[in-house]
Amino acid sequence: MTENRLLRGLRPWVFPALLIGAFEWYARRAAALGSDALAPPSAAARAFAGAALDGSLWQATGFTLGTAALGLLLGAVLGIALGLVLGLSRRAARLGSVTIEVLRPVPSVALIPLAMLGFGFGVRMELAIVAFATFWPLLVLVQAAVQQVEPRLLEVSRVLGLSARERAFKIVLPAIVPRLFVALRLGVAVALVVAVTVEIAANPNGMGYAMMIAQQSFDPALMLAWLGWIGVVGFAINAAMLRLQRGVSRRMGVVS
């Protein structure tokens, strides 16, 4: 039983290990032929250890995660609140449909020049863009989830004389918990991607900026180390969100 459980736990890591091994062989072969554009994962691991020891890894990671989290919080609060309103009110949904469909397709990175004019370089500029990027998927997914709530639940809430606020917090939110966490997981991924993109393009801080500096310094090992670390951070955050989703669902009596 224990052996079978161990095999099941190791099975998802087989393909990543094969990919790393293949890339290690290819990068070493390219280096033997005179190319210095690629670094093998073993060199990236050494560069990663150096960044961890000198503290630059943790400083840049903390900046990116802090900014992404604050931007996600702002976008999530606004997106969930407006999604509830639009999901519960057909009139509000009709009034806001054109505005939403015009603004939602705007790429968040296209706002970098405007955000730089308004906020300059730094945290506020990145926060604004991350909040804009995370607002729309949360709004759309929450609105769709609310519209699919069992109509009889809403009828019962009206019969009981619940106010709109009580209906939202006592009936609607518990009913959409699984879909709400799907929206939040998507928002977390979007926040991290946008934060790193903004740092590469315009903000001299964080993991994206550190990766760009490694590229400009012709240090492919360090650049690959940052790229791999960003993937690991995203994987860890998603795993934490899944655990949080299961815990909250169990406490609320919802099967996800």
Side-chain angles (χ1 to χ4, degrees), residues 80-110:
I80 292 172
L82 190 55
L84 287 171
V85 172
L86 298 181
L88 291 172
S89 172
R90 293 183 180 179
R91 180 179 298 178
R94 285 195 299 269
L95 290 174
S97 60
V98 174
T99 303
I100 291 171
E101 294 307 318
V102 168
L103 294 177
R104 186 169 62 88
V106 175
S108 56
V109 292

Side-chain angles (χ1 to χ4, degrees), residues 5 18 50 76 89 117 139 154 176 179 197 241:
R5 187 179 302 172
L18 290 175
S89 172
L117 286 175
L139 167 64
L154 298 178
I176 67 169
R179 293 181 182 179
T197 303
M241 288 294 295

Side-chain angles (χ1 to χ4, degrees), residues 115-166:
M116 287 174 63
L117 286 175
F119 302 108
F121 291 99
V123 175
R124 291 193 302 165
M125 181 266 291
E126 189 171 333
L127 274 178
I129 297 174
V130 172
F132 178 87
T134 55
F135 171 79
W136 300 109
L138 283 160
L139 167 64
V140 171
L141 290 173
V142 169
Q143 180 183 354
V146 172
Q147 289 173 340
Q148 294 176 15
V149 171
E150 177 61 47
R152 285 177 293 183
L153 291 176
L154 298 178
E155 291 174 7
V156 169
S157 68
R158 293 189 187 96
V159 171
L160 293 175
L162 298 180
S163 65
R165 183 171 178 273
E166 290 173 330

Side-chain angles (χ1 to χ4, degrees), residues 63-76 78 108 111 115 119-135 191 194-195 198-199 203:
F63 181 90
T64 299
L65 290 183
T67 309
L70 288 174
L72 174 63
L73 178 62
L74 181 58
L78 296 175
S108 56
L111 295 179
F119 302 108
F121 291 99
V123 175
R124 291 193 302 165
M125 181 266 291
E126 189 171 333
L127 274 178
I129 297 174
V130 172
F132 178 87
T134 55
F135 171 79
V194 172
V198 172
E199 290 162 1
N203 192 10

Side-chain angles (χ1 to χ4, degrees), residues 12-77:
W13 300 97
V14 172
F15 187 63
L18 290 175
L19 282 180
I20 292 174
F23 189 76
E24 178 81 18
W25 171 82
Y26 180 78
R28 287 180 178 274
R29 185 170 181 272
L33 295 175
S35 173
D36 58 356
L38 294 176
S42 56
R46 290 191 294 271
F48 173 84
L53 289 174
D54 66 23
S56 60
L57 180 79
W58 314 116
Q59 182 179 1
T61 302
F63 181 90
T64 299
L65 290 183
T67 309
L70 288 174
L72 174 63
L73 178 62
L74 181 58
V77 168

